Amino acid sequence: MTTAKDIMHTGAQWIPAHETLDRAAQLMRNLNVGALPIADEHERLCGILTDRDIVIGCVAMGHDPAKVTCGEMAKGTPRWVESNADVGAVLEEMQSHQIRRLPVIEDKRLVGMISEADLAQHLSDEQIKSFCMSVYSASASAS
């Protein structure tokens, strides 16, 4: 059985909720990623911040990214998966919530992230097609 840990990208890092968006953008640049899990003061997942969130939710609204915190951008219930979850559970979580990146947790700690690129390397063509149809067709109609 292939698990989340088998397909995840290791080296994922939290961004503390109290950090500002300009710091988050710098960390994204340094890590060459487009999303960061947001951690509360107890290192628990409280959201995910994307580069799009920074642009649309802060800059385009006329706010200063040096004054807005990551925690202020955290909305909704964060989604994640345990490291021992099978790929079917990963797909279900991502498809049912129409998300493109999923933190992987082990012993209540962040151990990795699963992105579309990770899925593409480990899924069949039919699974990839199904994922894209469910995530992109719904997000395109919402735009």
Side-chain angles (χ1 to χ4, degrees):
M1 170 181 81
T2 303
T3 66
K5 193 168 191 170
D6 296 327
I7 67 170
M8 72 182 189
H9 175 78
T10 58
Q13 293 185 25
W14 299 108
I15 185 85
H18 68 269
E19 283 290 352
T20 56
L21 297 183
D22 61 336
R23 297 278 191 197
Q26 292 164 3
L27 183 57
M28 286 180 188
R29 179 196 62 214
N30 294 343
L31 296 173
N32 194 29
V33 298
L36 293 170
I38 304 169
D40 67 12
E41 64 275 2
H42 303 290
E43 288 194 356
R44 287 186 301 228
L45 181 67
C46 63
I48 300 232
L49 178 69
T50 66
D51 48 7
R52 187 175 196 279
D53 293 333
I54 295 170
V55 172
I56 303 298
C58 179
V59 176
M61 300 297 288
H63 302 296
D64 182 352
K67 294 182 179 172
V68 178
T69 67
C70 296
E72 291 174 76
M73 298 299 290
K75 296 179 178 77
T77 302
R79 309 310 308 178
W80 52 273
V81 67
E82 289 282 344
S83 64
N84 62 356
D86 69 53
V87 174
V90 170
L91 275 174
E92 173 62 28
E93 187 70 19
M94 292 176 82
Q95 288 175 315
S96 66
H97 297 285
Q98 300 171 343
I99 55 178
R100 299 176 183 144
R101 298 168 182 107
L102 187 64
V104 180
I105 306 294
E106 185 174 277
D107 297 324
K108 299 183 181 180
R109 296 283 182 228
L110 178 71
V111 293
M113 289 281 282
I114 297 175
S115 69
E116 300 158 306
D118 300 316
L119 292 177
Q121 293 176 357
H122 294 90
L123 300 178
S124 70
D125 289 345
E126 191 57 40
Q127 288 173 308
I128 293 168
K129 178 182 174 186
S130 175
F131 172 79
C132 290
M133 293 291 290
S134 66
V135 173
Y136 289 105
S137 64
S139 63
S141 63
S143 297

